Amino acid sequence: MGVEEFLEIVLGLPEVEQRDGHASTTGFRVQGKGFCYLDEAEASVMVKATREEQAALVAEDPEVFTASWTSGRFGWVSIRLAGVDRDELVELVTEGWRLSASKRLAASYTPAVDHS
């Protein structure tokens, strides 16, 4: 998985805005709320998740997933792009988006199915 593929995934979600993030990162927001950050130099992304999902991912594969930080009910997870497959990244980025989007927008979104 590369940066270009990640950008295709994240920018394909409804109402996503791309903005400068912190230091060397690019942030992605939906309806004014951040849900994902890309660090191109490190070829990694940080995605909003539930605390439970954060813990499960880190336990599953600590070479690919690391806990970034937690705030309230959310735990952010850093993902090394080279170690994650496309389907899993789509799922994680979409879930981060859903955690930030309004209930109306999240409920209205049905991802396209890739049959390739």
Side-chain angles (χ1 to χ4, degrees), residues 22-38:
H22 309 287
S24 65
T25 64
T26 302
F28 299 90
R29 303 167 74 78
V30 58
Q31 298 177 317
K33 296 179 183 175
F35 71 95
C36 192
Y37 294 89
L38 167 66

Side-chain angles (χ1 to χ4, degrees), residues 33-67:
K33 296 179 183 175
F35 71 95
C36 192
Y37 294 89
L38 167 66
D39 185 332
E40 285 192 60
E42 296 290 323
S44 67
V45 295
M46 185 172 64
V47 179
K48 184 186 256 185
T50 64
R51 287 178 174 229
E52 295 80 14
E53 183 71 10
Q54 178 196 50
L57 288 166
V58 172
E60 172 190 320
D61 192 345
E63 295 293 317
V64 175
F65 305 105
T66 55

Side-chain angles (χ1 to χ4, degrees), residues 1 5-6 8-10 13 47 79 84-97 109 111-112 114:
M1 173 65 54
E5 288 175 288
F6 163 75
E8 178 184 309
I9 293 165
V10 74
L13 293 167
V47 179
I79 305 167
V84 68
D85 72 38
R86 182 180 176 86
D87 290 343
E88 187 165 28
L89 188 63
V90 167
E91 182 180 322
L92 294 171
V93 170
T94 303
E95 183 58 25
W97 175 87
Y109 177 66
D114 182 5

